[in-house]
Amino acid sequence: MTPNLLPCPFCGGTPNFEVSSFTEYYGHEMQDWSIECPSCSGSVWATVGKPEHGFDFPCSCCHDLKSAVAAKWNTRALPEGYVLVPCHPTGAMVQAVIDSGMYHTPETAWPILVDEYKAMLAAAQEVE
């Protein structure tokens, strides 16, 4: 049974389940599950490995990772120190940067900021 998923909290898109390659380790299944939004690339993971090394579960044969990753997605849990931000910089965000003196006009700021913002969001996907 596939758990129901809420729409993407970032863009409202329809998310998809993704599964990593299957391996076996000392008789246990090791298969990570994730959910990703194809519209904005928002994603969450349920990972297998030694919990003391930061993984969610020790194996996927004794734990329902698909339901676990669905629960993560549906509860919108954010790591400490993170906040929800839009997928693309808003006009107010661009204006705040212009007001800071870093750029002189929206015409010069917008293309640069969009690329920089996307790069920062991609880097922020890696939870420390």
Side-chain angles (χ1 to χ4, degrees):
M1 184 172 126
T2 300
N4 290 328
L5 298 175
L6 295 174
C8 177
F10 306 107
C11 72
T14 303
N16 297 321
F17 280 100
E18 304 286 335
V19 65
S20 70
S21 60
F22 172 83
T23 59
E24 191 173 321
Y25 186 71
Y26 290 107
H28 288 276
E29 294 176 4
M30 307 298 274
Q31 189 168 30
D32 298 334
W33 279 90
S34 65
I35 296 171
E36 183 171 325
C37 175
S39 300
C40 72
S41 300
S43 63
V44 294
W45 291 84
T47 57
V48 293
K50 292 185 176 184
E52 60 268 23
H53 293 150
F55 293 94
D56 297 312
F57 299 97
C59 67
S60 56
C61 56
C62 299
H63 301 275
D64 183 2
L65 270 71
K66 195 170 187 179
S67 292
V69 76
K72 276 186 176 183
W73 179 267
N74 288 336
T75 58
R76 310 316 206 230
L78 292 174
E80 187 174 330
Y82 281 65
V83 296
L84 289 177
V85 295
C87 296
H88 304 285
T90 65
M93 294 166 75
V94 173
Q95 189 61 51
V97 173
I98 292 167
D99 292 346
S100 75
M102 294 178 67
Y103 298 96
H104 299 291
T105 67
E107 293 78 23
T108 59
W110 189 261
I112 297 167
L113 283 175
V114 169
D115 289 342
E116 291 174 351
Y117 190 78
K118 286 180 182 177
M120 289 186 286
L121 287 180
Q125 296 292 322
E126 298 294 323
V127 178
E128 297 174 5

